[in-house]
Coordinates of all heavy atoms in Angstrom, one line a residue:
M1251 N -101.6 84.6 -3.3 CA -101.5 86.0 -3.6 C -102.3 86.4 -4.8 O -102.2 85.7 -5.8 CB -100.0 86.4 -3.9 CG -99.9 87.8 -4.2 SD -98.1 88.3 -4.5 CE -98.0 88.1 -6.2
V1252 N -103.2 87.4 -4.7 CA -104.0 87.8 -5.8 C -103.2 88.5 -6.8 O -102.5 89.5 -6.5 CB -105.2 88.7 -5.3 CG1 -106.0 89.3 -6.4 CG2 -106.1 87.9 -4.3
E1253 N -103.2 88.1 -8.0 CA -102.4 88.7 -9.1 C -103.2 89.5 -10.1 O -102.6 90.3 -10.8 CB -101.7 87.6 -9.9 CG -100.7 86.8 -9.1 CD -99.9 85.8 -9.9 OE1 -99.6 86.1 -11.1 OE2 -99.7 84.7 -9.4
S1254 N -104.5 89.3 -10.1 CA -105.4 90.0 -11.1 C -106.8 90.0 -10.5 O -107.1 89.4 -9.5 CB -105.4 89.3 -12.4 OG -106.1 88.0 -12.3
R1255 N -107.6 90.8 -11.1 CA -109.0 90.9 -10.7 C -109.8 89.7 -11.2 O -110.7 89.2 -10.5 CB -109.7 92.2 -11.2 CG -109.0 93.5 -10.8 CD -109.0 93.7 -9.3 NE -108.3 94.9 -9.0 CZ -107.6 95.1 -7.8 NH1 -107.5 94.2 -7.0 NH2 -107.1 96.3 -7.6
C1256 N -109.5 89.2 -12.4 CA -110.3 88.2 -13.0 C -109.8 86.8 -12.8 O -110.5 85.8 -13.2 CB -110.4 88.5 -14.5 SG -108.8 88.2 -15.4
G1257 N -108.7 86.6 -12.2 CA -108.2 85.3 -11.9 C -107.0 84.9 -12.8 O -106.5 83.8 -12.7
I1258 N -106.6 85.7 -13.8 CA -105.4 85.4 -14.6 C -104.2 85.4 -13.7 O -104.1 86.3 -12.8 CB -105.3 86.5 -15.7 CG1 -106.3 86.3 -16.8 CG2 -103.9 86.4 -16.3 CD1 -106.3 87.3 -17.9
L1259 N -103.4 84.4 -13.9 CA -102.1 84.4 -13.1 C -101.1 85.2 -13.9 O -100.4 84.7 -14.8 CB -101.6 83.0 -12.9 CG -102.5 82.2 -11.9 CD1 -102.0 80.7 -11.8 CD2 -102.6 82.8 -10.6
C1260 N -100.9 86.5 -13.6 CA -100.0 87.4 -14.3 C -98.6 86.8 -14.3 O -97.9 87.0 -15.3 CB -100.0 88.7 -13.7 SG -101.7 89.5 -13.7
S1261 N -98.2 86.2 -13.3 CA -96.8 85.7 -13.2 C -96.5 84.6 -14.3 O -95.4 84.3 -14.6 CB -96.5 85.1 -11.8 OG -97.4 84.0 -11.5
Q1262 N -97.6 84.1 -14.9 CA -97.4 83.1 -15.9 C -97.7 83.6 -17.3 O -97.7 82.9 -18.3 CB -98.3 81.9 -15.6 CG -98.0 81.2 -14.4 CD -99.0 80.0 -14.0 OE1 -99.8 79.6 -14.8 NE2 -98.9 79.6 -12.8
C1263 N -98.0 84.9 -17.4 CA -98.3 85.6 -18.7 C -97.1 85.7 -19.6 O -96.1 86.3 -19.1 CB -99.0 86.9 -18.4 SG -99.4 87.8 -20.0
E1264 N -97.2 85.3 -20.8 CA -96.0 85.4 -21.7 C -95.8 86.8 -22.2 O -94.7 87.1 -22.8 CB -96.2 84.4 -22.9 CG -97.5 84.7 -23.7 CD -97.8 83.7 -24.8 OE1 -98.2 82.6 -24.4 OE2 -97.6 84.0 -26.0
F1265 N -96.8 87.7 -22.1 CA -96.6 89.0 -22.6 C -96.2 90.0 -21.5 O -96.0 91.2 -21.8 CB -98.0 89.5 -23.2 CG -98.4 88.6 -24.3 CD1 -99.5 87.8 -24.2 CD2 -97.7 88.7 -25.5 CE1 -99.9 87.0 -25.2 CE2 -98.1 87.8 -26.6 CZ -99.2 87.0 -26.4
R1266 N -96.3 89.6 -20.3 CA -96.0 90.6 -19.1 C -94.7 91.4 -19.3 O -94.7 92.6 -19.2 CB -96.1 89.8 -17.8 CG -96.0 90.7 -16.6 CD -96.2 89.9 -15.4 NE -96.2 90.8 -14.2 CZ -96.2 90.5 -13.0 NH1 -96.3 89.2 -12.7 NH2 -96.2 91.4 -12.1
E1267 N -93.6 90.7 -19.4 CA -92.4 91.4 -19.5 C -92.2 92.2 -20.7 O -91.8 93.4 -20.7 CB -91.2 90.4 -19.5 CG -90.8 89.9 -18.1 CD -89.6 89.1 -18.1 OE1 -88.6 89.5 -18.8 OE2 -89.5 88.1 -17.4
S1268 N -92.6 91.7 -21.9 CA -92.5 92.5 -23.1 C -93.3 93.7 -23.2 O -93.0 94.7 -23.8 CB -92.8 91.6 -24.4 OG -94.1 91.2 -24.4
M1269 N -94.4 93.7 -22.4 CA -95.3 94.8 -22.4 C -95.1 95.7 -21.2 O -95.7 96.8 -21.1 CB -96.8 94.3 -22.4 CG -97.2 93.5 -23.6 SD -97.0 94.4 -25.1 CE -98.2 95.7 -25.0
G1270 N -94.2 95.3 -20.3 CA -93.9 96.1 -19.1 C -95.1 96.2 -18.2 O -95.3 97.1 -17.4
C1271 N -95.9 95.1 -18.2 CA -97.1 95.1 -17.4 C -96.8 94.7 -16.0 O -96.1 93.7 -15.7 CB -98.1 94.1 -18.0 SG -99.7 94.0 -17.1
K1272 N -97.4 95.3 -15.0 CA -97.2 95.0 -13.6 C -98.4 94.3 -13.0 O -98.5 94.1 -11.8 CB -96.9 96.3 -12.8 CG -95.6 97.0 -13.2 CD -95.5 98.3 -12.4 CE -94.2 98.9 -12.7 NZ -94.1 99.7 -13.9
G1273 N -99.4 93.9 -13.9 CA -100.6 93.3 -13.4 C -101.7 94.3 -13.1 O -101.4 95.4 -12.7
C1274 N -102.9 93.9 -13.4 CA -104.0 94.9 -13.3 C -104.2 95.4 -11.9 O -104.8 96.5 -11.7 CB -105.3 94.4 -13.9 SG -106.1 93.1 -12.9
V1275 N -103.8 94.7 -10.8 CA -104.0 95.1 -9.5 C -103.0 96.3 -9.2 O -103.2 97.0 -8.2 CB -103.9 94.0 -8.4 CG1 -104.9 93.0 -8.6 CG2 -102.5 93.4 -8.5
N1276 N -102.0 96.4 -10.0 CA -100.9 97.5 -9.8 C -100.9 98.6 -10.8 O -100.1 99.5 -10.7 CB -99.6 96.8 -9.8 CG -99.4 95.8 -8.7 OD1 -99.7 96.0 -7.5 ND2 -99.0 94.6 -9.1
I1277 N -101.8 98.6 -11.7 CA -101.8 99.7 -12.7 C -103.3 100.2 -12.9 O -104.3 99.5 -12.6 CB -101.3 99.2 -14.1 CG1 -102.1 98.0 -14.6 CG2 -99.8 98.8 -14.0 CD1 -101.7 97.5 -16.0
A1278 N -103.4 101.4 -13.4 CA -104.7 102.0 -13.6 C -105.5 101.4 -14.8 O -106.7 101.2 -14.7 CB -104.5 103.5 -13.8
A1279 N -104.8 101.1 -15.8 CA -105.4 100.5 -17.0 C -104.5 99.5 -17.6 O -103.3 99.7 -17.7 CB -105.8 101.6 -18.0
P1280 N -105.0 98.4 -18.1 CA -104.2 97.4 -18.8 C -103.6 97.9 -20.1 O -104.1 98.9 -20.6 CB -105.2 96.2 -19.1 CG -106.4 96.5 -18.2 CD -106.4 97.9 -17.9
F1281 N -102.5 97.3 -20.5 CA -101.9 97.8 -21.7 C -102.7 97.8 -22.9 O -102.5 98.5 -23.9 CB -100.6 96.9 -22.0 CG -100.8 95.5 -22.2 CD1 -101.1 95.0 -23.5 CD2 -100.7 94.6 -21.2 CE1 -101.3 93.6 -23.7 CE2 -100.9 93.2 -21.4 CZ -101.2 92.7 -22.6
H1282 N -103.8 97.0 -22.9 CA -104.7 96.9 -24.1 C -105.9 97.9 -23.9 O -106.8 97.9 -24.7 CB -105.2 95.5 -24.3 CG -105.8 94.9 -23.1 ND1 -107.1 95.2 -22.6 CD2 -105.3 94.0 -22.2 CE1 -107.3 94.5 -21.5 NE2 -106.3 93.8 -21.2
G1283 N -105.8 98.8 -22.9 CA -106.9 99.8 -22.7 C -107.7 99.4 -21.5 O -107.3 98.7 -20.6
Q1284 N -108.9 99.9 -21.5 CA -109.8 99.6 -20.3 C -110.3 98.1 -20.3 O -110.5 97.6 -21.4 CB -111.0 100.5 -20.4 CG -110.7 102.0 -20.2 CD -110.1 102.2 -18.8 OE1 -110.6 101.7 -17.8 NE2 -109.0 103.0 -18.7
C1285 N -110.4 97.6 -19.2 CA -110.9 96.2 -19.0 C -112.2 96.3 -18.2 O -112.2 96.7 -17.0 CB -109.9 95.4 -18.3 SG -110.5 93.7 -17.9
P1286 N -113.3 95.9 -18.8 CA -114.6 96.0 -18.0 C -114.6 95.1 -16.8 O -115.3 95.4 -15.8 CB -115.6 95.6 -19.1 CG -114.9 94.8 -20.1 CD -113.5 95.4 -20.1
V1287 N -113.9 94.0 -16.8 CA -113.9 93.1 -15.6 C -113.2 93.8 -14.5 O -113.6 93.8 -13.4 CB -113.3 91.7 -16.0 CG1 -113.1 90.9 -14.8 CG2 -114.1 91.0 -17.0
K1288 N -112.0 94.4 -14.8 CA -111.2 95.1 -13.8 C -112.0 96.2 -13.2 O -112.1 96.4 -12.0 CB -109.9 95.6 -14.4 CG -109.1 96.5 -13.5 CD -107.9 97.0 -14.3 CE -107.2 98.2 -13.6 NZ -106.8 98.0 -12.2
N1289 N -112.7 97.0 -14.1 CA -113.4 98.2 -13.7 C -114.6 97.8 -12.8 O -114.8 98.4 -11.7 CB -114.0 98.9 -14.9 CG -112.9 99.6 -15.7 OD1 -111.8 99.8 -15.3 ND2 -113.3 99.9 -17.0
C1290 N -115.3 96.7 -13.1 CA -116.4 96.3 -12.3 C -116.0 95.8 -11.0 O -116.5 96.2 -9.9 CB -117.1 95.1 -13.1 SG -118.5 94.4 -12.2
C1291 N -114.9 95.0 -10.9 CA -114.4 94.5 -9.7 C -113.9 95.6 -8.7 O -114.3 95.7 -7.6 CB -113.2 93.6 -10.0 SG -112.6 92.6 -8.6
E1292 N -113.2 96.6 -9.3 CA -112.7 97.7 -8.5 C -113.9 98.7 -8.0 O -113.8 99.2 -6.9 CB -111.7 98.5 -9.2 CG -110.4 97.6 -9.4 CD -109.3 98.3 -10.2 OE1 -109.5 99.4 -10.7 OE2 -108.2 97.7 -10.2
E1293 N -114.9 98.8 -8.9 CA -116.0 99.7 -8.5 C -116.8 99.1 -7.3 O -117.3 99.8 -6.5 CB -117.0 99.8 -9.7 CG -116.5 100.8 -10.7 CD -117.4 100.7 -12.0 OE1 -118.4 100.1 -12.0 OE2 -117.0 101.4 -13.0
K1294 N -116.7 97.7 -7.2 CA -117.4 97.0 -6.1 C -116.4 96.9 -4.9 O -116.8 96.2 -3.9 CB -117.9 95.7 -6.5 CG -119.0 95.8 -7.5 CD -119.5 94.5 -8.0 CE -120.6 94.6 -9.0 NZ -121.1 93.3 -9.5
A1295 N -115.2 97.4 -5.0 CA -114.2 97.3 -4.0 C -113.7 95.9 -3.6 O -113.5 95.6 -2.4 CB -114.6 98.1 -2.7
H1296 N -113.7 95.1 -4.6 CA -113.2 93.7 -4.4 C -111.8 93.6 -4.9 O -111.3 94.3 -5.8 CB -114.1 92.7 -5.2 CG -115.5 92.6 -4.8 ND1 -115.9 92.5 -3.5 CD2 -116.6 92.7 -5.6 CE1 -117.2 92.5 -3.5 NE2 -117.7 92.6 -4.7
D1297 N -111.0 92.7 -4.2 CA -109.7 92.4 -4.7 C -109.7 91.5 -5.9 O -108.8 91.6 -6.7 CB -108.9 91.6 -3.6 CG -108.6 92.5 -2.4 OD1 -108.5 93.7 -2.5 OD2 -108.6 92.0 -1.3
H1298 N -110.7 90.7 -6.1 CA -110.8 89.8 -7.2 C -112.3 89.4 -7.4 O -113.1 89.6 -6.5 CB -109.9 88.5 -7.1 CG -110.2 87.7 -5.9 ND1 -111.2 86.7 -6.0 CD2 -109.7 87.7 -4.7 CE1 -111.3 86.2 -4.8 NE2 -110.4 86.7 -4.0
C1299 N -112.6 88.9 -8.5 CA -114.0 88.6 -8.9 C -114.6 87.5 -8.0 O -115.8 87.5 -7.8 CB -114.1 88.2 -10.3 SG -113.8 89.6 -11.5
G1300 N -113.8 86.7 -7.4 CA -114.3 85.6 -6.6 C -115.0 86.1 -5.3 O -115.8 85.4 -4.7
Q1301 N -114.7 87.4 -4.9 CA -115.3 88.0 -3.8 C -116.7 88.5 -4.0 O -117.5 88.9 -3.1 CB -114.5 89.1 -3.2 CG -113.1 88.6 -2.7 CD -112.2 89.8 -2.4 OE1 -112.2 90.9 -3.0 NE2 -111.4 89.6 -1.3
C1302 N -117.1 88.6 -5.3 CA -118.4 89.2 -5.7 C -119.6 88.2 -5.4 O -119.5 87.0 -5.7 CB -118.3 89.6 -7.1 SG -119.8 90.5 -7.7
A1303 N -120.7 88.8 -5.0 CA -121.9 88.0 -4.8 C -122.5 87.5 -6.1 O -123.2 86.5 -6.1 CB -123.0 88.8 -4.1
E1304 N -122.1 88.1 -7.2 CA -122.6 87.7 -8.6 C -121.6 86.8 -9.3 O -121.8 86.4 -10.4 CB -122.8 89.0 -9.4 CG -123.9 89.9 -8.8 CD -124.0 91.1 -9.6 OE1 -124.0 91.1 -10.9 OE2 -124.2 92.2 -9.0
F1305 N -120.5 86.3 -8.6 CA -119.5 85.4 -9.2 C -120.2 84.1 -9.5 O -120.9 83.6 -8.7 CB -118.4 85.2 -8.2 CG -117.4 84.2 -8.8 CD1 -116.4 84.6 -9.7 CD2 -117.3 82.9 -8.4 CE1 -115.5 83.8 -10.2 CE2 -116.4 82.0 -8.8 CZ -115.5 82.5 -9.8
S1306 N -120.0 83.6 -10.6 CA -119.3 84.1 -11.8 C -120.3 84.6 -12.8 O -121.1 83.9 -13.3 CB -118.5 83.0 -12.4 OG -118.9 82.4 -13.5
C1307 N -120.3 85.9 -12.9 CA -121.2 86.7 -13.7 C -121.0 86.4 -15.3 O -120.0 85.8 -15.6 CB -121.1 88.2 -13.5 SG -119.6 88.9 -14.1
R1308 N -122.0 86.8 -16.0 CA -121.9 86.6 -17.5 C -120.7 87.3 -18.1 O -120.0 86.7 -18.9 CB -123.2 87.1 -18.1 CG -123.2 87.2 -19.7 CD -123.0 85.8 -20.4 NE -123.9 84.8 -19.8 CZ -123.6 83.5 -19.9 NH1 -122.5 83.1 -20.5 NH2 -124.4 82.6 -19.4
Q1309 N -120.4 88.5 -17.6 CA -119.2 89.2 -18.2 C -117.9 88.5 -18.0 O -117.1 88.3 -18.9 CB -119.1 90.6 -17.5 CG -117.9 91.5 -18.0 CD -118.0 92.9 -17.5 OE1 -118.4 93.8 -18.2 NE2 -117.7 93.0 -16.2
L1310 N -117.7 88.0 -16.8 CA -116.5 87.3 -16.5 C -116.4 85.9 -17.2 O -115.4 85.5 -17.7 CB -116.3 87.0 -14.9 CG -115.1 86.3 -14.5 CD1 -113.8 87.0 -14.9 CD2 -115.1 86.1 -13.0
T1311 N -117.5 85.2 -17.2 CA -117.6 83.9 -17.9 C -117.4 84.1 -19.4 O -116.6 83.3 -20.0 CB -119.0 83.3 -17.6 OG1 -119.1 83.1 -16.2 CG2 -119.1 81.9 -18.3
D1312 N -118.0 85.1 -20.0 CA -117.7 85.4 -21.4 C -116.3 85.7 -21.7 O -115.7 85.2 -22.7 CB -118.6 86.5 -21.9 CG -120.0 86.2 -22.1 OD1 -120.4 85.0 -22.0 OD2 -120.8 87.1 -22.3
Y1313 N -115.6 86.4 -20.8 CA -114.2 86.7 -20.9 C -113.4 85.5 -20.8 O -112.4 85.3 -21.5 CB -113.9 87.8 -19.9 CG -112.5 88.4 -19.9 CD1 -112.0 89.0 -21.1 CD2 -111.6 88.3 -18.8 CE1 -110.7 89.5 -21.1 CE2 -110.4 88.8 -18.9 CZ -109.9 89.4 -20.0 OH -108.7 90.0 -20.1
A1314 N -113.7 84.6 -19.8 CA -112.9 83.4 -19.6 C -113.0 82.4 -20.8 O -112.1 81.6 -21.0 CB -113.4 82.7 -18.3
Y1315 N -114.1 82.5 -21.5 CA -114.3 81.5 -22.6 C -114.2 82.2 -24.0 O -114.5 81.6 -25.0 CB -115.6 80.8 -22.5 CG -115.5 79.8 -21.4 CD1 -116.1 80.1 -20.1 CD2 -114.9 78.5 -21.5 CE1 -116.0 79.2 -19.1 CE2 -114.9 77.6 -20.5 CZ -115.4 78.0 -19.3 OH -115.3 77.1 -18.2
D1316 N -113.7 83.5 -24.0 CA -113.5 84.2 -25.3 C -112.5 83.5 -26.2 O -111.5 83.0 -25.7 CB -113.0 85.6 -25.0 CG -112.8 86.4 -26.2 OD1 -113.8 87.0 -26.7 OD2 -111.6 86.5 -26.7
P1317 N -112.9 83.3 -27.5 CA -112.0 82.5 -28.4 C -110.6 83.2 -28.5 O -109.6 82.4 -28.7 CB -112.7 82.6 -29.7 CG -114.1 83.0 -29.4 CD -114.1 83.7 -28.1
E1318 N -110.4 84.5 -28.3 CA -109.1 85.1 -28.5 C -108.4 85.3 -27.2 O -107.2 85.2 -27.1 CB -109.3 86.5 -29.2 CG -109.7 86.3 -30.6 CD -109.9 87.7 -31.3 OE1 -109.2 88.6 -30.9 OE2 -110.7 87.8 -32.3
Q1319 N -109.1 85.7 -26.1 CA -108.4 86.0 -24.9 C -108.7 85.0 -23.7 O -108.1 85.1 -22.7 CB -108.9 87.4 -24.4 CG -108.6 88.5 -25.3 CD -109.1 89.8 -24.8 OE1 -108.6 90.3 -23.8 NE2 -110.1 90.4 -25.4
G1320 N -109.6 84.1 -24.0 CA -110.0 83.2 -22.9 C -109.0 82.1 -22.6 O -108.0 81.9 -23.3
D1321 N -109.3 81.4 -21.5 CA -108.4 80.4 -21.1 C -109.3 79.1 -20.7 O -108.9 78.4 -19.8 CB -107.6 80.8 -19.9 CG -108.4 81.3 -18.7 OD1 -109.6 81.2 -18.7 OD2 -107.8 81.9 -17.8
N1322 N -110.4 79.0 -21.3 CA -111.3 77.8 -21.0 C -111.7 77.7 -19.6 O -111.8 76.6 -19.0 CB -110.7 76.5 -21.5 CG -110.6 76.5 -23.0 OD1 -111.6 76.9 -23.7 ND2 -109.5 76.0 -23.6
G1323 N -111.9 78.8 -18.9 CA -112.3 78.9 -17.5 C -111.3 78.7 -16.4 O -111.7 78.7 -15.3
L1324 N -110.0 78.7 -16.8 CA -109.0 78.6 -15.7 C -109.0 79.7 -14.8 O -108.8 79.6 -13.6 CB -107.6 78.5 -16.4 CG -107.3 77.2 -17.1 CD1 -106.0 77.2 -17.8 CD2 -107.5 76.0 -16.2
R1325 N -109.3 80.9 -15.3 CA -109.4 82.1 -14.4 C -110.5 82.0 -13.4 O -110.4 82.5 -12.3 CB -109.4 83.4 -15.1 CG -110.7 83.6 -15.9 CD -110.6 84.8 -16.8 NE -109.8 84.3 -18.0 CZ -109.2 85.1 -18.8 NH1 -109.2 86.4 -18.7 NH2 -108.5 84.6 -19.8
L1326 N -111.6 81.4 -13.8 CA -112.7 81.2 -12.9 C -112.3 80.3 -11.7 O -112.6 80.5 -10.6 CB -113.9 80.6 -13.6 CG -114.5 81.4 -14.8 CD1 -115.6 80.6 -15.5 CD2 -114.9 82.8 -14.3
E1327 N -111.6 79.2 -12.0 CA -111.1 78.3 -11.0 C -110.1 79.0 -10.1 O -110.2 78.7 -8.9 CB -110.4 77.1 -11.7 CG -111.4 76.2 -12.4 CD -112.5 75.7 -11.4 OE1 -112.2 75.3 -10.3 OE2 -113.7 75.7 -11.9
Q1328 N -109.3 79.9 -10.6 CA -108.4 80.6 -9.8 C -109.1 81.5 -8.8 O -108.7 81.6 -7.6 CB -107.4 81.4 -10.6 CG -106.3 82.1 -9.8 CD -105.5 81.0 -9.1 OE1 -105.0 80.1 -9.6 NE2 -105.3 81.2 -7.8
C1329 N -110.1 82.2 -9.3 CA -110.9 83.0 -8.4 C -111.6 82.2 -7.3 O -111.6 82.7 -6.1 CB -112.0 83.8 -9.1 SG -111.4 85.2 -10.1
R1330 N -112.0 81.0 -7.6 CA -112.6 80.1 -6.6 C -111.5 79.8 -5.5 O -111.8 79.7 -4.3 CB -113.2 78.9 -7.2 CG -114.5 79.1 -7.9 CD -115.1 77.8 -8.5 NE -116.2 78.1 -9.3 CZ -116.2 78.2 -10.6 NH1 -115.1 78.0 -11.3 NH2 -117.4 78.5 -11.2
K1331 N -110.3 79.5 -6.0 CA -109.2 79.1 -5.1 C -108.9 80.3 -4.1 O -108.7 80.1 -2.9 CB -107.9 78.8 -5.8 CG -108.0 77.4 -6.5 CD -106.8 77.1 -7.3 CE -106.9 75.9 -8.1 NZ -105.7 75.6 -8.9
W1332 N -108.8 81.5 -4.7 CA -108.5 82.7 -3.9 C -109.6 82.9 -2.8 O -109.4 83.3 -1.7 CB -108.4 83.9 -4.7 CG -107.1 84.0 -5.5 CD1 -105.9 83.3 -5.3 CD2 -106.9 84.7 -6.7 NE1 -105.0 83.7 -6.2 CE2 -105.5 84.5 -7.1 CE3 -107.6 85.6 -7.5 CZ2 -105.0 85.1 -8.2 CZ3 -107.1 86.1 -8.6 CH2 -105.8 85.9 -9.0
R1333 N -110.9 82.7 -3.3 CA -112.0 82.9 -2.3 C -111.9 81.9 -1.2 O -112.2 82.2 0.0 CB -113.3 82.7 -3.1 CG -114.5 82.9 -2.3 CD -115.8 82.9 -3.1 NE -116.0 81.7 -3.8 CZ -116.9 81.5 -4.7 NH1 -117.8 82.5 -5.0 NH2 -117.0 80.4 -5.4
K1334 N -111.5 80.6 -1.5 CA -111.4 79.6 -0.4 C -110.3 79.9 0.6 O -110.3 79.6 1.7 CB -111.2 78.2 -1.0 CG -112.4 77.7 -1.6 CD -112.1 76.3 -2.3 CE -113.3 75.8 -3.0 NZ -113.0 74.5 -3.7
E1335 N -109.2 80.6 0.1 CA -108.1 80.9 0.9 C -108.3 82.1 1.9 O -107.5 82.3 2.8 CB -106.9 81.3 0.0 CG -106.4 80.1 -0.8 CD -105.3 80.4 -1.8 OE1 -104.9 81.6 -1.9 OE2 -104.9 79.5 -2.5
E1336 N -109.4 82.8 1.6 CA -109.7 84.0 2.5 C -110.3 83.7 3.8 O -110.9 82.7 4.0 CB -110.6 85.0 1.7 CG -109.8 85.5 0.5 CD -110.7 86.4 -0.4 OE1 -111.9 86.5 -0.2 OE2 -110.1 87.1 -1.2

């Protein structure tokens, strides 16, 4: 089941409940404001970034390895898994 556009597993997010977040696939904007990855993915009518011909683009890769928000590429691996399951 796709939980996010970028590959984050929302069900494992420690902030989800406290922020009242339903996951980016279910809300117009993330609790932290606009997300360029979400916007790009939805503009291309993809369920997740793994469906994109440009996967894994610089924007997503930079996000995945961001020192504050990144997860050392785990979200990239998740998008690859979702792509294989389709």
Side-chain angles (χ1 to χ4, degrees):
M1251 178 177 94
V1252 174
E1253 296 184 38
S1254 68
R1255 303 297 182 211
C1256 70
I1258 288 176
L1259 293 177
C1260 299
S1261 60
Q1262 297 176 13
C1263 177
E1264 62 188 70
F1265 301 108
R1266 186 175 184 184
E1267 277 190 44
S1268 65
M1269 298 303 292
C1271 182
K1272 295 178 176 81
C1274 72
V1275 297
N1276 298 310
I1277 58 177
F1281 61 85
H1282 53 77
Q1284 292 297 315
C1285 175
V1287 174
K1288 172 182 167 54
N1289 292 344
C1290 179
C1291 190
E1292 291 178 354
E1293 286 171 6
K1294 294 178 179 181
H1296 295 313
D1297 291 329
H1298 60 85
C1299 292
Q1301 295 174 326
C1302 186
E1304 297 176 41
F1305 178 78
S1306 105
C1307 68
R1308 172 62 46 205
Q1309 179 173 258
L1310 180 60
T1311 300
D1312 287 349
Y1313 187 57
Y1315 290 97
D1316 180 81
E1318 292 181 29
Q1319 301 180 66
D1321 58 6
N1322 292 317
L1324 292 176
R1325 69 191 74 202
L1326 301 175
E1327 290 304 315
Q1328 186 59 53
C1329 283
R1330 285 184 186 98
K1331 287 178 187 176
W1332 287 336
R1333 183 172 56 189
K1334 287 179 184 177
E1335 292 172 1
E1336 296 177 348

